Amino acid sequence: MRQYNALINNELIDNGQWLEIMNPATLNVAGKVTALTAEEINKAFSVARNSQQSWEEVLLLDRISILRKFRDLIDENKNEIAQIISEEIAKNLKESLSEVIRTIEIIDYTFEEAKRIEPLALTGEGMGAKNKIGIFSRVAKGVVLAISPFNYPFNLAFAKIIPALVMGNTVVFKPATAGSLVGAYMSNLVIQAGLPKGIFNIVTGRGREIGDIITSNPEIDMISFTGSVGIGNQIRKMGSTTDLVLELGGKDPALVLDDLNLEKYADEIINGAYGYSGQRCTAVKRVLVNNKIADKLVLILKTKINSLSVGMPKDNAFITPVIDEKSADFIQGLIDDAKNKGAEIITGNKREKNLMWPTLIDKVTIDMKVAWEEPFGPVLPVMRIDSIDEMIKIANDSQFGLQASVFCQDISIALSTAKRIKTGTVNINSRPQRGPDSFPFLGIKDSGEGVQGIRESLLSMTRYQGLVINY
Ligand code: NAP
Ligand code: G3H
């Protein structure tokens, strides 16, 4: 059984208390990580604070070359890291390895982009000023708390940790419980890479037990959180003055207009809806299709869904068990509610514990929960709609505003429709997606606040520091 320790000040913490991590595919224990006490968590923040100034004083290029040793260890251990991800979140092995490789690419790009975060130099002329030069540099915020979700336990962790460290911040990282094995596995790599003491601390424990202790620590200068709306809003309401970047849930609609070449684009909808069993914030979570082509689209989707492999992550099945049985019960509740209210189950609605077959629900109407709630599972509701105006209304009548897709051959109609959709991003003729990671990534309304993406993260982990010269 795997066993990894939390890390504080480059010391592995063994307090004799452990948190067991389940393997969602076997429903057996996959391993255990340290369950930290409040006192140990507070120590993580104080060492992060104490080491911050000296880390910030290391020159940018030297910080990058120190961090590069850590990046190289990730590369050397990528197969093992992928194996751990797969064991604890039931992501298939191929996608788990892609997650690690994508992370290495983000790290490399971040190292390059950091060199292009130039200071702003201005001359003060007018508005009562003359003979002034202002130089506004980006400096570290201080101590960054990074909290990641279960579904990209490696990638969404390091998309926060690396920009924070590169820009001279120190980090306290709290992985999701399902995701803690890979999180705490990093403890050994931090030590092996010889990162300076205290700059990167890994705190493990169950969110509902240690969440408040972590998020209310007075040493925090910034929280970068990815996860559910519920916990995100809890952090928002704590009312602290800490800077926040929150990437939360979504209910991304795919608008399918009547001129679409359905054969050409159906795979985008399928991959968008069912990739990693629908457990992506950017999954297609509802299809709003023009009534005229709805029968044809549903038939094509049904055929493709029935050919998706369903099984275990080690066998690289496309559909794998969802994270736990509680989530499967919630997803099943949404399917049952739609069925009871008159929706048609086209395929799926079959379940063995937390392994759920990909389900397509047709004729979903606005009184059904699945029209509005995020299943985070392999379920796709189809709503048949007569006009673009009505599609846009339903797309926008949502608490969420992460992304949307417009599938349409006519580029003018596609663009004018996209302009009216209230989400962080609208994709034309592709599924919603965070990548490429060099693009800004953001959600509005309940989907979040602040912006991620490589450059945006580097900026959000810094603030301006002005120096004004008078002559
Ligand atoms: P979650 O339950 O909100 O957990 C997210 C993180 O918060 C975990 O590390 C969790 O730890 C921690 N946490 C739990 N309670 C806390 C508290 N009181 N204070 C501070 N932290 C606490 O979300 P999830 O189930 O892991 O992820 C799925 C959700 O994330 C979905 O809604 C999805 O849409 C969203 N998501 C959004 C994005 C995006 O970029 N917009 C990306 C990925 C996922 P424990 O696991 O120990 O509870
Ligand atoms: O789950 C949320 C992720 O940010 C989505 O990333 O679009 O690359 O799958 P992705």
Side-chain angles (χ1 to χ4, degrees):
M1 192 172 61
R2 296 182 182 279
Q3 182 174 312
Y4 303 122
N5 299 83
L7 184 79
I8 300 173
N9 212 24
N10 283 18
E11 282 169 26
L12 298 175
I13 307 301
D14 185 356
N15 59 11
Q17 297 178 52
W18 298 98
L19 171 63
E20 285 186 338
I21 312 299
M22 299 300 290
N23 178 329
T26 62
L27 297 176
N28 294 324
V29 176
K32 55 187 186 176
V33 296
T34 321
L36 287 182
T37 61
E39 198 183 330
E40 287 160 338
I41 290 166
N42 290 338
K43 184 173 172 211
F45 283 103
S46 73
V47 301
R49 169 64 63 209
N50 292 340
S51 51
Q52 196 272 322
Q53 187 61 39
S54 54
W55 175 239
E56 188 176 0
E57 283 169 14
V58 175
L59 298 178
L60 173 67
L61 294 189
D62 294 338
R63 288 200 297 265
I64 290 172
S65 78
I66 291 168
L67 291 169
R68 198 180 296 284
K69 291 184 194 133
F70 179 67
R71 172 258 180 242
D72 291 346
L73 284 172
I74 293 175
D75 200 1
E76 278 169 34
N77 291 281
K78 58 180 175 294
N79 290 312
E80 177 68 356
I81 295 170
Q83 180 66 38
I84 301 171
I85 293 174
S86 186
E87 284 172 23
E88 67 179 325
I89 65 157
K91 185 175 278 189
N92 76 36
L93 261 178
K94 197 167 145 242
E95 286 174 34
S96 297
L97 185 59
S98 302
E99 174 171 344
V100 184
I101 292 169
R102 176 177 177 183
T103 309
I104 295 169
E105 286 170 356
I106 292 178
I107 295 174
D108 288 341
Y109 203 120
T110 304
F111 288 165
E112 291 311 309
E113 193 64 24
K115 298 171 196 165
R116 293 191 279 268
I117 305 289
E118 306 282 0
L120 191 64
L122 303 165
T123 53
E125 285 167 32
M127 289 173 279
K130 72 171 187 181
N131 297 344
K132 272 184 194 293
I133 298 171
I135 300 169
F136 292 82
S137 307
R138 302 296 308 192
V139 298
K141 281 189 171 163
V143 174
V144 173
L145 168 61
I147 304 180
S148 55
F150 81 82
N151 66 332
Y152 278 96
F154 194 72
N155 180 281
L156 280 169
F158 285 99
K160 303 171 190 307
I161 294 163
I162 293 295
L165 290 173
V166 166
M167 297 313 284
N169 301 279
T170 54
V171 171
V172 174
F173 164 49
K174 151 77 179 96
T177 294
S180 290
L181 285 176
V182 74
Y185 175 81
M186 289 297 121
S187 297
N188 294 304
L189 298 197
V190 172
I191 295 170
Q192 268 186 58
L195 295 193
K197 280 186 174 183
I199 68 164
F200 179 13
N201 305 280
I202 301 169
V203 298
T204 44
R206 215 174 269 292
R208 65 170 178 267
E209 284 155 21
I210 62 168
D212 289 352
I213 300 167
I214 292 179
T215 49
S216 60
N217 191 288
E219 298 294 352
I220 303 169
D221 295 299
M222 179 192 176
I223 301 178
S224 178
F225 172 89
T226 303
S228 61
V229 173
I231 306 291
N233 281 341
Q234 220 171 293
I235 293 173
R236 251 197 262 244
K237 281 182 194 143
M238 286 177 72
S240 89
T241 50
T242 306
D243 289 356
L244 294 180
V245 170
L246 303 174
E247 296 294 351
L248 310 176
K251 185 70 184 172
D252 295 0
L255 282 65
V256 182
L257 274 54
D258 61 358
D259 69 342
L260 189 75
N261 177 342
L262 294 174
E263 280 81 8
K264 187 168 169 196
Y265 291 106
D267 280 337
E268 278 294 309
I269 298 175
I270 295 286
N271 289 325
Y274 299 105
Y276 184 41
S277 306
Q279 297 171 113
R280 294 167 52 249
C281 58
T282 49
V284 173
K285 293 184 181 133
R286 44 194 175 137
V287 165
L288 312 181
V289 59
N290 186 290
N291 234 326
K292 286 188 230 157
I293 54 163
D295 284 343
K296 189 171 173 202
L297 177 68
V298 167
L299 193 63
I300 294 173
L301 292 179
K302 179 184 173 185
T303 310
K304 287 183 181 288
I305 291 166
N306 287 342
S307 70
L308 297 177
S309 58
V310 179
M312 291 299 126
K314 66 178 174 41
D315 302 322
N316 276 321
F318 188 82
I319 300 286
T320 50
V322 296
I323 197 67
D324 53 28
E325 288 193 72
K326 192 169 155 234
S327 302
D329 290 343
F330 173 75
I331 298 160
Q332 188 64 52
L334 294 179
I335 299 171
D336 294 344
D337 174 76
K339 195 174 166 205
N340 293 339
K341 289 177 180 159
E344 234 175 80
I345 307 290
I346 301 298
T347 187
N349 195 18
K350 178 179 159 193
R351 173 181 171 189
E352 284 169 14
K353 294 185 176 164
N354 56 333
L355 177 61
M356 306 193 78
W357 267 250
T359 300
L360 183 68
I361 316 179
D362 192 10
K363 299 182 182 154
V364 168
T365 47
I366 55 170
D367 56 325
M368 299 172 189
K369 288 185 192 166
V370 77
W372 308 110
E373 293 184 27
E374 180 186 44
F376 230 56
V379 175
L380 182 62
V382 175
M383 303 177 80
R384 294 168 173 244
I385 297 169
D386 285 322
S387 70
I388 294 180
D389 283 351
E390 181 65 5
M391 277 185 196
I392 293 170
K393 182 175 173 349
I394 290 180
N396 289 341
D397 273 354
S398 169
Q399 71 180 109
F400 298 106
L402 190 57
Q403 294 206 352
S405 293
V406 175
F407 288 96
C408 173
Q409 302 293 137
D410 184 318
I411 192 68
S412 302
I413 297 176
L415 292 175
S416 60
T417 304
K419 251 175 103 173
R420 295 169 61 198
I421 296 176
K422 307 277 184 247
T423 54
T425 299
V426 181
N427 303 271
I428 310 283
N429 293 338
S430 87
R431 63 187 198 275
Q433 56 200 290
R434 173 164 46 113
D437 296 284
S438 49
F439 285 5
F441 178 62
L442 69 154
I444 59 170
K445 300 197 259 181
D446 270 355
S447 291
E449 107 178 37
V451 188
Q452 289 208 120
I454 291 172
R455 187 173 177 83
E456 297 295 334
S457 293
L458 288 164
L459 292 173
S460 76
M461 304 285 183
T462 57
R463 63 174 175 83
Y464 272 129
Q465 184 184 46
L467 180 66
V468 178
I469 304 161
N470 297 282
Y471 62 96

